[in-house]
Amino acid sequence: MHLKYSEEVKKALDNNSPIVALESTIISHGMPYPDNVNLASELEDICRNNGVTPATIAIIKGEIHIGLESEQLEYLGKSGEIEKASIKDIPQIIASGKSGATTVAGTLFCCNLAGVKVFATGGMGGVHKKAEETFDISADLHALASNRVILVSAGAKAILDLPKTLEYMETLSIPVFGYKTNLFPAFYSSKTDLKIKSIESAQEIAAVFNTMIELNVKTGLMIANPVPEQDEIPADVINMHINSALDAADQQNITGAAITPFLLQYIVNETSGASLKANKSLVRNNVRLACEIAKSLNVIKK
Ligand code: PSU
Ligand code: MN
C-alpha cells in the first residue's frame, strides 16, 4: 500500500538480485541544480555498471516511489515545492498527495517497507551542537536504531556534535564500523580523532549483517566510509565555514527541521567548488561500497 516500484526494482526484487537504495533529500535540499540531478543519475549508473539495481526513494504526488524515472529525478531537483520528508512527515505528504524528498530517516523507513537492505547516502544526521539546550537530535539516529538496514555514509558533518553523535549511537545499540579505518570520518574530512571499530571488507560487513538477522537484532548497521583523501577538505578550512554557518543560523533564529538544510545551503554557497567536489566524490565512493555489500549479501542469501 502506498508503494510504487520502478520496473527495474520490481524485476530485481522478483529475481532476488542486489539492490541499493539512494535518498532524495540530497537531490532536493542538499545540492544546487543541475549538479543534483546529474549526480543522482550518475549514482544510479554506478550501481548498474556494478551489476546492482538502484532504488532512489522519494514521495511523488502522494506515493512512495522505490526507484525513479529520469523525469522524476529532474522534478525533484528542479521544482521548489518538494518537502523535506522525515518519518513524521510521510503520512501527511501521502495523504495530501504532495511530493517529498526523503531524509536518511525517511529513506530508512521506506527501505524497511520495501525490503531493501542496503542504502548509500552522503552524510547522516546526528546530535546537534548545543543539544543539551535545544534537544535537537536527528530522527536519523532513531530510524537507524529501528530499521534493519545497512547504511553507508561518509560519517557526519562537523555541523553536528560528533562525539555526542557517537555516544548516542552507542546508547541506541547501533553497531558502527569505519570502513578500513578506526577513526570516525567527518564527511568533508576523512578522519577525526574519534575512535571506532574498523571493518576490512564488504564480505565482513555482509557477515555481520547476516548475524544480526540470525540473532534477531532489530537495529540497522552503520558503515562510515571516509571521503577519498584526494578530494577531502582539511578540517580547519571546512570548520571555519561551518562556524560562520552556525553563527548565521543563530543570528537568524533558525531552528528545528530548518536548521540542517540552512547550514548545508550556507556551506555550499560559501565554499562552492571545493565542497561540491568533495560531496560528489564521497557519495560516489559510498555507492560503490554499498554495491559491493549488496552483492556480498546476495552471495550469503544464495
Ligand atoms: N547531512 C548532510 N547532508 C544531508 C543531510 C544531512 O551532510 O543532505 C540531510 C539528510 O537527508 C539527513 C537530514 O537525513 O539532512 C537530517 O536532517 P535533521 O538534522 O533535520 O534530522
Ligand atoms: Mn532536528
Side-chain angles (χ1 to χ4, degrees):
M1 198 127 108
H2 302 301
L3 283 183
K4 203 160 179 176
Y5 296 92
S6 68
E7 279 308 314
E8 68 179 333
V9 170
K10 209 181 294 167
K11 218 179 277 167
L13 284 169
D14 287 345
N15 297 338
N16 221 346
S17 57
I19 301 176
V20 165
L22 303 163
E23 60 146 316
S24 45
T25 296
I26 190 172
I27 307 175
S28 300
H29 306 288
M31 230 179 245
Y33 180 84
D35 296 77
N36 53 0
V37 176
N38 292 339
L39 181 70
S41 64
E42 190 194 328
L43 298 177
E44 295 198 340
D45 286 337
I46 292 175
C47 292
R48 294 186 190 105
N49 293 337
N50 278 289
V52 170
T53 303
T56 307
I57 294 180
I59 305 168
I60 311 243
K61 306 205 162 92
E63 281 180 307
I64 299 174
H65 283 255
I66 313 292
L68 298 175
E69 306 300 329
S70 53
E71 312 83 67
Q72 295 172 321
L73 292 179
E74 185 78 17
Y75 169 64
L76 287 172
K78 222 172 168 178
S79 152
E81 62 189 33
I82 311 295
E83 298 193 25
K84 175 177 169 181
S86 188
I87 297 175
K88 72 178 195 313
D89 309 303
I90 291 176
Q92 183 262 334
I93 294 173
I94 292 176
S96 57
K98 291 187 177 153
S99 299
T102 48
T103 63
V104 169
T107 309
L108 285 165
F109 175 82
C110 295
C111 282
N112 197 33
L113 286 181
V116 177
K117 299 291 176 221
V118 187
F119 165 24
T121 184
M124 68 176 309
V127 179
H128 284 257
K129 291 187 198 279
K130 297 197 212 141
E132 64 276 23
E133 292 167 25
T134 63
F135 272 46
D136 192 347
I137 297 172
S138 175
D140 290 357
L141 298 180
H142 280 265
L144 191 57
S146 52
N147 291 284
R148 195 164 54 206
V149 173
I150 304 174
L151 175 67
V152 183
S153 76
K157 277 204 181 86
I159 57 173
L160 300 169
D161 186 320
L162 299 179
K164 286 197 181 80
T165 299
L166 283 176
E167 285 296 340
Y168 204 75
M169 286 196 279
E170 160 134 1
T171 301
L172 292 170
S173 298
I174 299 168
V176 176
F177 293 93
Y179 184 63
K180 297 188 186 202
T181 179
N182 60 2
L183 298 175
F184 191 55
F187 197 83
Y188 293 122
S189 318
S190 62
K191 53 178 174 289
T192 59
D193 54 10
L194 300 166
K195 291 268 178 359
I196 53 176
K197 282 187 184 169
S198 178
I199 198 156
E200 305 304 316
S201 69
Q203 290 74 20
E204 283 172 66
I205 294 167
V208 170
F209 190 70
N210 212 40
T211 307
M212 289 169 69
I213 295 172
E214 288 163 359
L215 295 175
N216 202 19
V217 170
K218 299 273 201 286
T219 70
L221 171 56
M222 158 84 174
I223 304 298
N225 187 29
V227 57
E229 265 172 36
Q230 71 271 17
D231 296 315
E232 79 175 322
I233 304 179
D236 51 336
V237 174
I238 196 68
N239 287 341
M240 206 173 64
H241 296 297
I242 287 172
N243 287 334
S244 50
L246 288 165
D247 285 345
D250 241 5
Q251 277 156 19
Q252 297 176 44
N253 266 321
I254 314 276
T255 57
I259 186 102
T260 300
F262 176 89
L263 296 173
L264 297 182
Q265 192 56 51
Y266 192 98
I267 293 165
V268 168
N269 292 347
E270 288 267 295
T271 63
S272 58
S275 78
L276 212 50
K277 184 168 170 237
N279 203 340
K280 288 178 185 172
S281 164
L282 66 88
V283 185
R284 289 186 193 110
N285 194 44
N286 293 343
V287 171
R288 283 190 290 265
L289 175 58
C291 286
E292 293 318 305
I293 297 169
K295 287 190 282 189
S296 302
L297 269 184
N298 251 54
V299 171
I300 293 177
K301 248 189 327 202
K302 279 167 184 162

